[in-house]
Every structure is written in structure tokens, then in C-alpha cells.
Amino acid sequence: MTSIPLIDLHGSIDPHAPLARESAARLHEALSTIGFTYIAGHNVAPASRDAAFAASREFHASPLERKQSVAINGFHRGYMGMATSTIVTSSVAKVTRPNMSESLMLMHELPPDDPGLLAGLPLQGPNQWPGWVPDFKPRVTRYIAEVDALSRYVVQLIAMSLGLPAHALDHHFERPTTFLRLLHYPPQAPQEDEQIGSAPHTDYGVVTLLAQDDAGGLQVRPRGGDWIEAPPIPDTYVLNVGDMLARWTNGRFVSTPHRVINRSGGDRYSLPYFFDPGMDALIECLPTCTDEANPPRHAPVRYGNYLLDRLNRNYDYRRAPSGDAVTA
């Protein structure tokens, strides 16, 4: 394939709506061939998304010492400075140089009395909000609520596309593991061939919904093909399959390599939202994705174990001076 398809959801996030099955069928085709699609006709308000982008720009324009006051912690929440993540787990490239980006990571928000938070379970901690940025938390929280609803609908369309009831997978996402990463890529000089905004990789989880600004730079490599551009299209999301969804579907859906090279001459901002199962979810081949001729390719895996392994290997902060990984 030489381009990424576009699916119009017709302004609905109801799996029982008249056109939902058509959307599910088109989604199945896109995710089983290229593993990427643009999503139009969604219910995320342009004003909410614009406000989240504005909050991100204001945060990244802050002095470094202020950003470092919310430095990423053992719960994988907070500010990651420039060039502090290296995708050593990439299955598509030997990555030795860190990504040329900085970001603020926000994960699923937990109430103060959450049992996992009180017990200090892995990745179950409070978010770090930059209180000096006016109205940052309400702007970003409103956006998260809207993109989360869209993500849940996408999972229902995926279930339908696989011959399952629309709500068949919902129980895995009752307490989802989510990440909103407010990313900033600085301009990259044309001669910096060895440096890259985001090295070739596949995503860890189930689905990613990416909001891009107008700078461009995202590239996708379909199976058997070369890198193609995924240019920004106004008021759309870029949806892609993660490794867990490929595993869940026994390879029917494709977790496709992608990368970012910021050649725009200016700054690039993006808002990827990663929507994944609960940490205790057992990911094993779905019943409609296997038969005698196509047995399960992977052993069942607990999502939290898989995720922690990748975080511990890819992020500098998760390695103590002794070299041991942190456990939070």
C-alpha cells in the first residue's frame, strides 16, 4: 500500500448505530493490511483538542527547571527531558541513539482511595500536573475524557469486525492502562541523518490514537514496502495497531513500524493517546482468530508483565545506578 486509508465514523460512537457495521468492516480491512488508518467523523470536539495542544505548547515553553520539577517518576508519570528514551526493544531497527524529543506523560487518573494506588502497585500512582500553567489540568482532563470515549468505541468496532459481540472485549478495559503523551520535537537539521525524532518502532499496546499538528514528519512502513508519509489531515486521528492487538488477533491485525523525522524547519507537537487493557488482563488468542489451520502463535501473557518489561528497557529513568530496574 502506498497510502493510509480514511474511515468516517459519521459522528457516532454507538456500536448499534446503522453505519457501525460498515465502519467495523472498513476498520478490519485497514488494520489487517497496513495496520494504520485515519479516523474522521469522530466525536472529539475541535475546541477540546485545540485546548490540549495549547496546554502542551505552554508547558514545553516553560523554563527547563520548572519542567524538571515534575520529572518522570517510578509510576511513569511526569516530564521526560530531551533524548532520554531509546527504543532498544524495537523489532524493526537496531536503535542506539535516543529519540530527539521531550514529553510530559500522563497516565490513567486514579482517585486517592484507589486500592492499587494505596498498595503502590506498578504504574498505579498520581499524575504530576504542572500547576504553573493556567488551567492546564481542566483543559487536558476534558480532552482525555473525549479521546478515551473514542478509544472505547474503536475497541467495540474491533470486536464487531472479528465476529464478536460489540462489548465482548469491554471487561478488559474496565480499569484500562492509558497514556497521554504531550510530545515536542525540536527542528531537525537536514544534515542530521543519524538523529531522529522517534526511531522506527511498533507500539506496545492495543490501539494508539494520534493527534498531529500541521508540521508532518510521521512515516509508516507497510509490510513489504518502503516508508510512506502519514501527512496531517485536519480534524482526523491516526489510528494504529499495537503489538498486543496483533498478538490478540493471532497476527490478523498488523502492528506496523513507524517513525518521526521532523523536517518542517519548526517545532512539532503531537498528542498520542495509548489505550490499553488493565495490568492484570490476560492476552490470549481470540477464539475467532484461530482454527486448525491457524493455531495460536503466542502463549498467553499478562499485559502488565509485558508492558513493564518494555518500559524498563527503553527509559533511562527506570534504571537505578546499580542497573536494576525500578518496580513501581
Side-chain angles (χ1 to χ4, degrees), residues 13-88:
I13 55 171
D14 177 5
H16 306 294
L19 293 174
R21 291 209 168 272
E22 175 190 317
S23 296
R26 294 198 61 202
L27 188 63
H28 187 282
E29 180 180 4
L31 301 189
S32 60
T33 52
I34 194 171
F36 270 77
T37 186
Y38 291 98
I39 296 292
H42 53 79
N43 279 13
V44 179
S48 297
R49 190 163 60 170
D50 291 347
F53 267 116
S56 177
R57 292 187 182 96
E58 291 164 30
F59 169 79
H60 285 297
S62 302
L64 180 59
E65 59 270 21
R66 276 207 148 173
K67 292 186 283 189
Q68 289 176 333
S69 72
V70 292
I72 193 153
N73 58 25
F75 295 110
H76 203 60
R77 290 159 164 85
Y79 172 67
M80 286 183 278
M82 195 70 68
T84 57
S85 66
T86 307
I87 310 176
V88 298

Side-chain angles (χ1 to χ4, degrees), residues 229-264:
E229 300 290 333
I233 298 177
D235 201 24
T236 67
Y237 281 90
V238 178
L239 166 68
N240 69 276
V241 172
D243 295 342
M244 278 293 97
L245 183 54
R247 189 174 185 133
W248 222 351
T249 60
N250 211 26
R252 182 180 300 184
F253 289 165
V254 187
S255 184
T256 301
H258 48 286
R259 67 185 183 185
V260 174
I261 303 176
N262 181 19
R263 302 292 197 196
S264 67

Side-chain angles (χ1 to χ4, degrees), residues 163-176:
L164 298 167
H167 300 286
L169 304 179
D170 287 5
H171 66 285
H172 291 288
F173 299 91
E174 289 175 359
R175 289 171 53 86

Side-chain angles (χ1 to χ4, degrees), residues 116-132:
L117 184 151
L118 295 175
L121 295 181
L123 304 187
Q124 309 308 306
N127 280 312
Q128 299 194 78
W129 298 97
W132 67 88

